[in-house]
Structure formats: structure tokens, C-alpha cells
Amino acid sequence: IADNMFSSRRVILKVDRGTTQLEADLQFDHLNPWPRSLFFPGAMGWYAFVPKMECYHGVVSMDHGIKGHFYFGSKRIDFTGGRGYIEKDWGTSFPQGWVWLQSNHFHINGAATIPCSVMLSIAKIPWRGKHFNGFICGFLYGRKHYVFATYNRTKLKELRYTNRDVQAVLENNRYGISISASRQNSATLLSPVMGAMDGRIAESIDASVQVTLYKKPRKGKRLVLFDAEGRCGGLEIANPHVLG
């Protein structure tokens, strides 16, 4: 787009709006893409094959390294050594209501765990003249991906929310994940409505995200595999009342 370039490996940003100048050159390495297979080509699973859905979602990388810098006017910010996350949406409109969160800045006992990343999306999805609550949750811990989604028989056991907080519990046959997130400040972003960028959503990038991953036992207590708080989290809570 003009002098700007966006890919899974690099972002070049050059924006001059008079009083606002932005410039960046960021390179990404050691990407961790969403696991793929023939019938599950990405984060949406087999729903990716359904034609004319209002919104499609993809996760390009759950976690990766960053090299490069960012200029905001004359202020230079060095992103080298940071952690990145990339996802994408395409279609005509965002859902009527949704909850979305992401964080890949986790620390355990003061030491960073790399790679470690979580994302959760719960939305009201139109389907054959009706609607249902669809959800996708991915958790990357070490080199293992845990996927909790509508298409792999995961159950959404709990969903609670306010305008600033959300709590969710999801379980499949083997594992469960409990997520609690709370946002502080937020910025207003443009969003698509019937093909035009006429919508407005509030997104935070300073949310705290508590994640507990556990293995479901056949007998006895569950085995906790991970329990830590993530920071620098992204969080959107848009019309959540439509989720019921």
C-alpha cells in the first residue's frame, strides 16, 4: 500500500499525515504458525471451507522474535528483542458481538517462557438463517499447541464478562483452559460493516491475562500444566450481551 508493506516476515511502515509521522522497519523470525492439516487449514478449522461467511479469521504466528525500530515523529523506539504476534481477518463485517484477547508476554518465577502465547475469540456467528456462539482458543507453550475450538468438540463451560473484564473456561476430552482478562486503557479502531470501514471498536493493549492450563484426569484431581499471568495483552469486548 503506497510505501507500506506487510508480510509474515516483515513490516515497512511510512505514514505522513502532516502533524503525524510514523515510520517503521520490523523483521520477524522464528514464527510459530497455527498448526495445519488437510481438513483443518488454520485457526477456523473446517469452517474455513464454508463460502460467504461474514468474517474469516487466521493466525499467522502465535509468537515470534522482532528486530527493528519504530519512529513516532522524532522519537525512536527499538523493538529488537521484543515478542510479536500476527493474526488477520477478512470478509465483509465483524460479528454482532464478540470477545477477543491475546497475550504472549508471560513470566514464571521472574523468568520469561519463550515461546508462550494465548489467543481467544468468541463470537456470534450467522449460520443458515440463525446464529450460534463460535469460539477459537489457541495456547502455545514451549513447542506444543493446544487448540480449543467449536470444530474439535470443545465445550465452552463458562463465560462471564463486564465492559472491562472477561472470564472463560473451555474443555475438550483431554485438556481444559481457564482464562481471565482485565483491560485498562483502550483506543478506538475502525472495523468493517458490510464491506465499509464504518464500525468503531475499543481495543486495549495493556490488559492482564491470567491463564491456567490443566489436564483432565480420569479420576482424582486435575493436573495443572501451566498457571501464569500475561501482560501487554490485547482485549476487545464488543456487544457481549448478544452472546447470552
Side-chain angles (χ1 to χ4, degrees):
I1 304 173
D3 296 325
N4 303 272
M5 188 272 288
F6 306 90
S7 76
S8 62
R9 295 288 181 177
R10 189 178 185 186
V11 166
I12 297 175
L13 181 66
K14 293 183 179 181
V15 177
D16 187 347
R17 291 293 183 268
T19 58
T20 302
Q21 290 86 35
L22 304 175
E23 184 174 335
D25 188 350
L26 305 176
Q27 300 180 47
F28 313 129
D29 56 17
H30 300 98
L31 272 67
N32 285 278
W34 192 277
R36 296 170 175 266
S37 66
L38 180 62
F39 297 106
F40 297 91
M44 290 186 64
W46 62 265
Y47 284 101
F49 299 113
V50 177
K52 298 182 180 180
M53 294 190 71
E54 67 176 1
C55 184
Y56 295 88
H57 187 81
V59 176
V60 179
S61 176
M62 288 286 290
D63 180 80
H64 53 264
I66 307 175
K67 297 178 182 178
H69 60 271
F70 187 103
Y71 285 98
F72 178 57
S74 60
K75 183 178 181 180
R76 184 181 189 273
I77 304 171
D78 189 357
F79 273 74
T80 301
R83 307 306 306 170
Y85 169 88
I86 305 174
E87 67 172 48
K88 59 182 180 179
D89 295 282
W90 65 101
T92 57
S93 300
F94 275 179
Q96 293 181 22
W98 72 90
V99 170
W100 171 88
L101 62 86
Q102 183 277 328
S103 177
N104 60 338
H105 286 64
F106 287 89
H107 285 72
I108 300 177
N109 296 327
T113 58
I114 300 176
C116 182
S117 179
V118 66
M119 71 80 60
L120 170 67
S121 177
I122 306 173
K124 187 173 183 179
I125 309 297
W127 183 260
R128 297 181 179 180
K130 298 181 180 180
H131 291 80
F132 72 95
N133 288 344
F135 54 86
I136 305 167
C137 178
F139 183 61
L140 171 67
Y141 183 35
R143 292 295 173 182
K144 185 168 183 178
H145 291 261
Y146 299 85
V147 177
F148 302 86
T150 308
Y151 54 79
N152 70 355
R153 298 183 179 180
T154 296
K155 301 296 183 182
L156 180 59
K157 306 290 289 187
E158 180 182 326
L159 176 62
R160 293 182 292 165
Y161 52 82
T162 68
N163 290 330
R164 304 182 69 87
D165 307 90
V166 63
Q167 298 87 40
V169 177
L170 303 96
E171 290 186 350
N172 57 31
N173 291 334
R174 297 186 62 190
Y175 301 100
I177 191 167
S178 173
I179 303 173
S180 299
S182 178
R183 69 183 181 188
Q184 301 299 321
N185 302 308
S186 61
T188 301
L189 306 180
L190 301 181
S191 65
V193 178
M194 298 303 295
M197 297 297 285
D198 293 334
R200 300 293 185 271
I201 58 175
E203 179 178 333
S204 167
I205 58 171
D206 63 357
S208 60
V209 182
Q210 181 70 37
V211 175
T212 303
L213 176 74
Y214 55 91
K215 187 174 183 179
K216 295 172 60 179
R218 294 182 179 179
K219 295 181 180 180
K221 297 182 179 180
R222 68 188 189 186
L223 175 63
V224 175
L225 304 176
F226 180 91
D227 186 20
E229 183 181 48
R231 55 187 179 83
C232 303
L235 178 59
E236 298 175 3
I237 305 174
N239 301 321
H241 59 276
V242 305
L243 300 175

